[in-house]
Amino acid sequence: LLKIQLERDSDFFRFLLDELARATALHDVEQKKFSETVQSLGDELCQMTATNKNDMYTWREIFKLYIEAAIFQDIDMTKDPAKESRKRLEKFKDNLLDRLLESNFVLKESKSILKHFLVINYKLIDFQHFQNLNRMAITKILKKHDKKSGLSATEEFSAFIKGNVVFVDGILLSLCQAVQTKLITIVPQPDEFTCPVCFYLAWKPVRLKCTHLFCARCLIKAKKNNITNCFICRSENAIPEATAGNLDTTLSKFMKLNFPQEIEEKERDNAAER
Ligand SMILES: [Zn+2]
Ligand SMILES: [Zn+2]
């Protein structure tokens, strides 16, 4: 009797695995479509921010709010995750309205990109909802199976699901990552390029021999005060050994393109200090 039961059990597992594989394959197609949409929106955004600096700054504020909204992060999966994400997305939209960010746009293309960006987020919530329904259905099926057979598939199988990142949270995670790398990073935030000494944009960016980055102004001040070692790793004589060749020209160009206002402000400050 036990043998028959076990065979039935493995049939049941095979059936469930087949169903899972089918659902994942369906997701693959959708996922590819989604990634392509995000990619082309990213390309449009790239052009927009290169054409108009005003819109670039507006986009930066929008993405800053978006990151803070953490729409898909730290969600309690045992409750209704899609409901919680939708709530956070609505709050993010309210924030945009309050700050008149959309009406700040100069180019009408920016408005349409924003609309698309919101659509993408609603799509992500749909994915999340679908994923959760799948998870709940499987849990229910397994419980029923356990009750009937007296065997505990639930424990083993839920361990399998937990281990199978691709199935549970992997898809949503990878879609969120696509939004992150193909959209959000197009408009970088200046706090990612802060000088660790003055906590302001590391302009002009000087890279010491130990690869740590500071603004030229802070290094000049350090030299005057006879500080010789890197502020972060204490690499010896890293500061006096730095020459004009240590200016990170690639980053310099990147900053000019992305943070013109911050650079202007910093140069004004430097001039005032002199
Ligand atoms: Zn500095
Ligand atoms: Zn260092």
Side-chain angles (χ1 to χ4, degrees), residues 208 210-212 214 230-235 238:
L208 299 182
C210 56
T211 75
H212 287 121
F214 302 92
C230 170
F231 288 102
I232 293 175
C233 68
R234 309 261 153 235
S235 164

Side-chain angles (χ1 to χ4, degrees), residues 110-138:
S110 282
K111 277 189 187 180
S112 112
I113 294 174
L114 180 59
K115 204 182 274 173
H116 268 113
F117 179 66
L118 292 172
V119 169
I120 278 177
N121 277 279
Y122 281 114
K123 263 228 165 101
L124 280 175
I125 291 175
D126 283 346
F127 270 116
Q128 191 185 29
H129 186 57
F130 176 71
Q131 214 165 274
N132 196 50
L133 285 182
N134 258 356
R135 190 203 313 251
M136 287 195 312
I138 287 168

